[in-house]
Amino acid sequence: MEGKINKQLKRVLKKIVKEAHEPLAVADAKLGGVIKEKLNLSCIHSPVVNELMRGIRSQMDGLIPGVEPREMAAMCLGLAHSLSRYRLKFSADKVDTMIVQAISLLDDLDKELNNYIMRCREWYGWHFPELGKIISDNLTYCKCLQKVGDRKNYASATLSELLPEEVEAEVKAAAEISMGTEVSEEDICNILHLCTQVIEISEYRTQLYEYLQNRMMAIAPNVTVMVGELVGARLIAHAGSLLNLAKHAASTVQILGAEKALFRALKSRRDTPKYGLIYHASLVGQTSPKHKGKISRMLAAKTVLAIRYDAFGEDSSSAMGVENRAKLEARLRTLEDRGIRKISGTGKALAKAEKYEHKSEVKTYDPSGDSTLPTCSKKRKIEQVDKDEEITEKKAKKAKIKIKVEEEEEEEEEVLVVEEEESSVKKKKKKDKKKRIKEEPVSEEEPCTSTAISSPEKKKKKKKKRENED
């Protein structure tokens, strides 16, 4: 494998050198070159030699007498395992499957602990509800339950190891005047058993977290420095292995864990997410909201370099991760300081913040808010009077215009009536003339225009009356 001659091979080849008259067929070209240098044997490596070697391997049972097929199969399997392990440079410290399993178990333990603690608080709350408000820490709550048990025992119990003196006194005072119900001993035993489970699981969780930290520092030290143990382990678990994660691009690592949001945004044509699992890194968490996208992009780029260095590099130091993290922190400081600088001018001078001085203002009572009647000033009253006068003038003008229109309409109606009367008078005249012509053909015609004459006189009289009324 390494192109070196074994001791057994040297012994065999030295015996053959004296008797050999033909070149030696070799399966590996490097090995042939080494044999030629050290033993002065001419070697051949070609496709024909590879076919010949394959034939020898397939017919090994017939060529070597006294070898059983089972032993030959076991030898081949062992050789294959040793070769593959040697090729991969197998190391127990570089197994990333342990990290995947450890981080998955840690998440499961957190969920189970939350469920158990919630059930324990709710269960014991029927007996002593005030204790849950006084003790906020879940582990100390369970330890107090395990030590005391029934509510009546708090007066005689000493909790100085678990609680400070003030809290202990408050718990004892609350136990005397508690509003909880009485509980049997069997119920208390079951609650205490649940408390022991919670304490054991929390202790195992701390051990598992320490194990995960050690594994991450052994397998991916640079990634651990960049994003932390938990975020690095979750990235490896999400990708499947450290090698698979090293094949991802920086943009993929940036949104790893936010696949649903990404495809939802692509479907609805909205803004794509800026970060996934990398959001929980300490560098992203300590930035302001407007710079989180920039820092997550830069952190993803540097993290990918650290992942590839850990996956393919032979050095196991974390110097590269420390250097890149220092660069990111410096970049973060410049981004944060840029917002404090002046907008106008050169932009180099920092904005001077004025010293804060507390100014207390004494406010007087305003009695005007007591009355519910609407109050208006003199100016408003004058304006209202002027507006009323203008409105009345407009109404008067409209009334005059209406009267004129009505008068014109009446005059037109009167003219029509007069014309109709004239036409009727003319018809009567014609009829009378015909009758007179029949009765008195020689008699003189008498003028009959009294109605026609009287009508214009009536018009003049009516006009005079209207003018006098106006």
Side-chain angles (χ1 to χ4, degrees):
M1 291 295 295
E2 294 179 354
K4 294 178 181 178
I5 303 171
N6 196 8
K7 289 180 180 180
Q8 295 176 354
L9 185 61
K10 268 187 182 181
R11 288 173 191 169
V12 173
L13 290 173
K14 281 178 182 178
K15 292 177 182 178
I16 296 169
V17 167
K18 298 174 183 178
E19 301 175 358
H21 301 287
E22 296 290 334
L24 183 67
V26 183
D28 190 12
K30 289 182 180 179
L31 187 63
V34 173
I35 291 166
K36 192 173 183 180
E37 285 178 5
K38 290 188 177 181
L39 301 171
N40 292 323
L41 257 174
S42 60
C43 301
I44 296 173
H45 174 71
S46 64
V48 178
V49 175
N50 289 332
E51 288 292 323
L52 182 63
M53 292 289 182
R54 190 179 64 80
I56 291 168
R57 281 197 297 270
S58 62
Q59 301 295 328
M60 192 76 76
D61 299 337
L63 293 171
I64 302 171
V67 179
E68 294 183 2
R70 288 182 181 179
E71 292 178 359
M72 201 67 194
M75 186 272 290
C76 290
L77 185 63
L79 180 63
H81 277 276
S82 61
L83 282 173
S84 60
R85 187 169 291 185
Y86 184 80
R87 274 274 177 92
L88 295 169
K89 292 180 180 178
F90 181 79
S91 175
D93 296 331
K94 287 283 183 183
V95 181
D96 48 6
T97 52
M98 302 299 172
I99 289 172
V100 175
Q101 299 298 328
I103 192 66
S104 302
L105 181 58
L106 198 70
D107 292 337
D108 293 339
L109 283 177
D110 287 334
K111 288 178 185 176
E112 291 297 323
L113 267 175
N114 288 329
N115 290 330
Y116 281 10
I117 289 161
M118 183 182 69
R119 185 66 56 209
C120 183
R121 280 179 175 272
E122 191 175 349
W123 199 352
Y124 194 73
W126 288 98
H127 181 56
F128 191 9
E130 291 83 5
L131 186 66
K133 294 178 181 178
I134 297 167
I135 302 171
S136 58
D137 188 30
N138 295 321
L139 192 59
T140 51
Y141 182 87
C142 293
K143 284 179 179 178
C144 285
L145 288 186
Q146 195 181 30
K147 192 170 184 179
V148 180
D150 199 350
R151 184 182 61 197
K152 298 173 184 177
N153 302 330
Y154 278 96
S156 60
T158 55
L159 301 170
S160 57
E161 297 177 359
L162 301 171
L163 301 172
E165 292 179 1
E166 296 175 358
V167 180
E168 185 182 359
E170 192 177 353
V171 168
K172 287 180 180 180
E176 292 177 359
I177 56 167
S178 179
M179 297 288 290
T181 59
E182 294 295 329
V183 182
S184 64
E185 291 182 3
E186 190 178 357
D187 295 332
I188 292 290
C189 288
N190 285 313
I191 293 168
L192 294 177
H193 184 65
L194 181 60
C195 289
T196 54
Q197 290 288 322
V198 170
I199 293 164
E200 287 175 2
I201 291 170
S202 59
E203 288 175 356
Y204 175 62
R205 190 199 174 281
T206 54
Q207 291 176 6
L208 187 67
Y209 182 66
E210 289 175 2
Y211 165 77
L212 183 64
Q213 280 181 325
N214 297 329
R215 277 288 177 192
M216 281 298 293
M217 284 305 295
I219 294 170
N222 294 290
V223 178
T224 307
V225 170
M226 291 297 297
V227 294
E229 300 90 7
L230 291 174
V231 178
R234 285 197 176 96
L235 288 171
I236 292 168
H238 200 82
S241 67
L242 188 64
L243 288 171
N244 290 341
L245 186 63
K247 293 173 186 175
H248 289 317
S251 57
T252 310
V253 172
Q254 184 183 349
I255 58 168
L256 210 64
E259 288 85 2
K260 284 185 180 179
L262 174 67
F263 292 119
R264 197 188 305 123
L266 291 173
K267 278 184 180 179
S268 58
R269 294 182 181 179
R270 292 180 182 175
D271 294 335
T272 54
K274 294 179 181 177
Y275 27 68
L277 290 169
I278 209 166
Y279 178 79
H280 300 287
S282 59
L283 276 170
V284 180
Q286 67 190 20
T287 56
S288 57
K290 62 179 180 180
H291 297 311
K292 280 187 189 293
K294 285 183 180 179
I295 290 296
S296 63
R297 187 176 67 248
M298 291 186 282
L299 181 62
K302 297 294 182 184
T303 306
V304 165
L305 292 176
I307 291 162
R308 289 169 185 171
Y309 187 82
D310 290 333
F312 304 117
E314 295 179 358
D315 190 10
S316 60
S317 66
S318 59
M320 193 263 276
V322 172
E323 186 182 349
N324 286 334
R325 188 179 175 87
K327 287 179 182 177
L328 283 173
E329 286 174 352
R331 176 65 177 156
L332 176 60
R333 264 183 255 112
T334 55
L335 284 172
E336 293 293 336
D337 293 342
R338 193 179 292 173
I340 304 170
R341 295 183 187 278
K342 289 182 178 178
I343 298 167
S344 62
T346 56
K348 292 180 181 179
L350 292 170
K352 292 180 181 178
E354 294 180 357
K355 188 179 178 182
Y356 175 73
E357 291 180 1
H358 180 68
K359 296 176 182 178
S360 61
E361 295 179 0
V362 180
K363 293 183 179 180
T364 57
Y365 179 70
D366 188 13
S368 62
D370 294 341
S371 64
T372 56
L373 296 171
T375 57
C376 57
S377 60
K378 292 180 180 180
K379 289 182 179 180
R380 286 189 177 180
K381 286 181 180 179
I382 293 163
E383 288 174 0
Q384 285 179 355
V385 170
D386 294 334
K387 286 180 181 178
D388 293 335
E389 289 177 358
E390 289 176 0
I391 290 164
T392 51
E393 287 177 0
K394 287 179 181 179
K395 286 182 179 179
K397 286 180 181 179
K398 287 181 180 178
K400 286 181 181 180
I401 291 164
K402 282 183 180 180
I403 289 164
K404 286 181 181 180
V405 171
E406 288 176 357
E407 287 177 359
E408 289 175 358
E409 288 177 355
E410 287 177 359
E411 287 176 0
E412 288 175 358
E413 288 176 358
E414 287 175 359
V415 170
L416 290 170
V417 169
V418 169
E419 287 176 355
E420 288 176 358
E421 288 178 355
E422 288 177 354
S423 62
S424 61
V425 168
K426 285 180 181 180
K427 287 179 181 179
K428 286 180 181 180
K429 281 181 181 180
K430 285 180 181 179
K431 288 180 181 179
D432 293 333
K433 281 181 181 180
K434 287 179 181 179
K435 287 180 181 180
R436 287 173 185 174
I437 288 164
K438 288 179 181 179
E439 294 175 356
E440 298 177 358
V442 189
S443 63
E444 294 178 1
E445 293 179 1
E446 293 177 1
C448 185
T449 59
S450 60
T451 55
I453 294 162
S454 63
S455 61
E457 291 176 358
K458 288 179 181 179
K459 284 183 185 179
K460 289 178 181 178
K461 287 178 181 179
K462 285 181 180 179
K463 283 182 180 179
K464 287 179 180 179
K465 285 180 180 180
R466 286 172 187 166
E467 286 174 0
N468 292 325
E469 286 174 0
D470 294 330

